[in-house]
Amino acid sequence: LIRQYKKVKMTASWNGAHRIADRHLTNSFIARLTELPKFNKAMEDWHDLPEAQQTWAKAQAHFKEASQKLQSHAQQTADAHGFGNAYNATQVDDDNSITSTIADMNIKHAETLEAFSELSQSNHATQSKNLALENEVATLKAQLQQLQIHSANASMGP
């Protein structure tokens, strides 16, 4: 991340008129680092510094040091973190629990399939009713039209 910001600063400097002030570059850099939870502690330490010390050069050094600490911490062995005897852990085979869980999952799966089947049948029945109602409406419209024609013919007289 520091390298990317150095490139941005260099590019801006080469363009001449678009120099980036250290303060702006530092603030932008800090804003980006705020998004990375692994730097939370380093960020707290940074904000504890007096504003006059919060310069671009100081930011580079501060977060480079924080990054190196994180890397060395990540490379330590499990023993250094108090898990030296983790290799002595034993696995307990609980076939009954696994079998029970699988059986429960199969029951839930069957219940879900049954529910989907019922919904599908209900949906089909609803669609059939809707189609029947649409046909009835069409028939009633046709009958109404016939009545209107018959009524118009009757009112004209012979």
Side-chain angles (χ1 to χ4, degrees), residues 38-39 63-81:
K38 69 180 184 177
F39 287 109
F63 288 101
K64 184 176 182 178
E65 180 184 336
S67 179
Q68 289 169 346
K69 283 182 183 177
L70 287 170
Q71 285 176 351
S72 71
H73 185 71
Q75 292 172 354
Q76 291 178 356
T77 63
D79 189 32
H81 294 283

Side-chain angles (χ1 to χ4, degrees), residues 82-155:
F83 298 103
N85 292 325
Y87 61 87
N88 288 331
T90 58
Q91 178 179 351
V92 177
D93 290 327
D94 190 2
D95 289 338
N96 290 336
S97 175
I98 294 171
T99 303
S100 174
T101 301
I102 292 172
D104 289 345
M105 288 173 62
N106 285 335
I107 290 169
K108 293 294 183 189
H109 183 255
E111 290 172 354
T112 302
L113 289 176
E114 185 177 338
F116 278 130
S117 175
E118 290 172 3
L119 285 172
S120 177
Q121 289 173 0
S122 173
N123 186 34
H124 180 69
T126 302
Q127 287 177 345
S128 295
K129 286 178 186 177
N130 287 345
L131 184 59
L133 289 172
E134 287 173 6
N135 288 337
E136 186 177 347
V137 166
T139 301
L140 289 172
K141 282 182 179 179
Q143 289 174 352
L144 178 62
Q145 192 175 24
Q146 288 297 323
L147 284 173
Q148 288 172 340
I149 291 172
H150 183 58
S151 175
N153 287 340
S155 68

